[in-house]
Amino acid sequence: MEKGKSVVAELAASLRDVEVTPRRKPATLLPAPSFYSPTNKGGPRKLVSLCLGILGQHLEDIITDISEFATFFPPHIKLAIVSIARRRRLLNDEVLISLADSSWEILDISGSDVSDVGLATVANISNNLWAIDISRCERITTAAVSEIICHCPSLEILRCGGCPRSEFTARRSVNLLKPKLNTLEEDSWEELDTVEIGGGAESLRWLVWPKIDDNSKEIISMECPRITVNPQPSPFDLRGSKVPAEALASVPLDHSIIADIDPKTWAVAAAPQRPTIPTHPNAPHEISIAEKFRLAYVEREARLAPKRAKRERQQRRRAEREYLMNDINAKSVALAAQVSKYLRKS
């Protein structure tokens, strides 16, 4: 008994100097920024978005042959490739037509090299477009705007302007937006049911034109009161209808399409600088570009000088021959010289 008490006393003495600290909570690990989506910090990016990111980084290598395998892509993937190509300055008529799909509802070609031909072709294919951005397009004219209004009856949002050429196109297109009645000749009212009576952009509701001039704005407000010019971000506009995000100038039209794709996809890296190699003191002096051009010009002149002299002699003899053939006095003088030469021989 006494032995057991002594063991307990020794154990208590040994634990007397031990300091017990409370257990801390483990630190929360932050998600990796390169793998997780910036819009959804709680989860990773979608596998489709990661694949599109890889595809977009090497888009310039396959853009010339994209028409060969574009048919295998679903419509939303085609539209995402168009958005990436636009941001990488690779979007033109050929790329847009190759990826065009009939189920598209929005189209953003702002700042691209698309012309009237490409936009008119897509307007014929994608008749369900209700939002189009043609701002900062140098090659778009009123002809393409007319095709959009004619073949896209569901068009509600149109973005334009942004550069001098696009501003000019927008001013010329104001008359195309105004409603009008077509003159028709039919035998009865029943036959007019299947005929287009009206014209103009009948379904257009929002026009995004940041630098619209006062004259165009007045014409639209007077003759197209249903169109809201440059709507502001608010739950409802002045007419009580909700303003969609696609009608806000501060939000890119195709933002929702590439929201889950890494922005590094369309970041174009600057051209790498060539390293400068220090020249050896005894190395020959490098000739400047201007001196190389001068020496090449002198060499070319020396090489062509005999040919030019020969050409001048031929032209001189041809001119003398034409003079002798056309002038009467010259003919008589030449004939007299030949006769005297013949008599002298005889």
Side-chain angles (χ1 to χ4, degrees):
M1 188 68 180
E2 295 294 331
K3 184 177 180 180
K5 290 182 179 180
S6 61
V7 172
V8 173
E10 292 178 0
L11 182 61
S14 64
L15 295 176
R16 190 175 301 163
D17 298 331
V18 176
E19 295 181 0
V20 180
T21 56
R23 185 178 181 181
R24 297 180 181 179
K25 296 182 179 180
T28 304
L29 298 178
L30 297 177
S34 61
F35 181 72
Y36 288 83
S37 171
T39 58
N40 186 13
K41 297 182 180 180
R45 299 182 188 274
K46 297 179 181 179
L47 181 59
V48 175
S49 301
L50 296 176
C51 294
L52 282 173
I54 299 298
L55 180 65
Q57 291 178 1
H58 304 278
L59 190 58
E60 66 275 3
D61 299 330
I62 63 174
I63 199 70
T64 55
D65 302 324
I66 199 168
S67 59
E68 298 181 2
F69 50 84
T71 55
F72 300 102
F73 292 144
H76 66 284
I77 299 298
K78 294 180 181 179
L79 197 57
I81 295 176
V82 169
S83 300
I84 297 174
R86 182 182 70 84
R87 285 166 169 77
R88 301 207 64 175
R89 307 292 182 183
L90 299 173
L91 186 60
N92 51 28
D93 289 344
E94 184 179 358
V95 176
L96 182 62
I97 295 173
S98 300
L99 297 171
D101 192 88
S102 59
S103 63
W104 284 357
E105 294 184 352
I106 66 172
L107 179 63
D108 190 347
I109 59 172
S110 57
S112 65
D113 293 332
V114 177
S115 65
D116 291 347
V117 177
L119 185 55
T121 304
V122 175
N124 282 273
I125 298 174
S126 308
N127 304 118
N128 299 320
L129 292 173
W130 68 278
I132 300 177
D133 190 347
I134 57 173
S135 58
R136 305 189 311 277
C137 289
E138 297 283 346
R139 304 177 63 187
I140 297 296
T141 64
T142 54
V145 178
S146 177
E147 292 291 327
I148 294 174
I149 296 174
C150 179
H151 295 94
C152 300
S154 303
L155 183 64
E156 296 184 7
I157 301 172
L158 180 62
R159 299 188 179 197
C160 55
C163 66
R165 179 63 186 177
S166 186
E167 294 285 341
F168 176 77
T169 302
R171 288 192 296 269
R172 294 285 301 274
S173 303
V174 171
N175 293 328
L176 300 175
L177 306 179
K178 296 188 298 184
K180 59 180 180 296
L181 293 176
N182 298 326
T183 303
L184 302 174
E185 295 182 0
E186 299 292 342
D187 296 334
S188 63
W189 286 99
E190 290 79 4
E191 297 181 3
L192 295 177
D193 294 339
T194 58
V195 181
E196 293 291 338
I197 301 177
E202 300 177 355
S203 60
L204 189 63
R205 293 295 178 268
W206 292 279
L207 178 63
V208 183
W209 185 359
K211 296 183 179 180
I212 184 173
D213 58 290
D214 296 336
N215 185 29
S216 300
K217 190 173 183 179
E218 183 179 359
I219 292 175
I220 293 175
S221 62
M222 292 292 294
E223 303 190 30
C224 307
R226 69 183 183 282
I227 299 177
T228 302
V229 181
N230 298 326
Q232 299 300 320
S234 61
F236 300 95
D237 67 352
L238 298 177
R239 296 169 180 80
S241 59
K242 186 177 180 181
V243 179
E246 290 81 3
L248 302 178
S250 59
V251 181
L253 183 59
D254 57 355
H255 173 71
S256 60
I257 302 172
I258 46 89
D260 194 47
I261 302 177
D262 191 356
K264 296 179 181 179
T265 300
W266 50 82
V268 180
Q273 297 182 357
R274 299 178 62 182
T276 56
I277 302 175
T279 57
H280 194 270
N282 298 328
H285 180 68
E286 184 179 359
I287 303 176
S288 62
I289 297 178
E291 182 65 17
K292 290 180 180 179
F293 273 102
R294 191 190 69 81
L295 294 177
Y297 177 78
V298 172
E299 181 183 358
R300 178 177 178 273
E301 290 294 321
R303 186 176 67 254
L304 297 180
K307 296 182 178 179
R308 290 176 179 174
K310 181 179 180 181
R311 190 181 303 111
E312 290 177 358
R313 291 193 299 268
Q314 292 177 351
Q315 292 178 355
R316 191 182 306 110
R317 287 196 297 267
R318 188 180 299 110
E320 293 176 354
R321 187 162 53 251
E322 291 179 356
Y323 173 74
L324 294 176
M325 295 296 296
N326 298 328
D327 190 83
I328 299 177
N329 295 329
K331 287 183 180 181
S332 60
V333 171
L335 183 59
Q338 291 180 0
V339 171
S340 60
K341 184 179 179 180
Y342 176 76
L343 292 177
R344 192 180 301 111
K345 289 182 179 180
S346 58

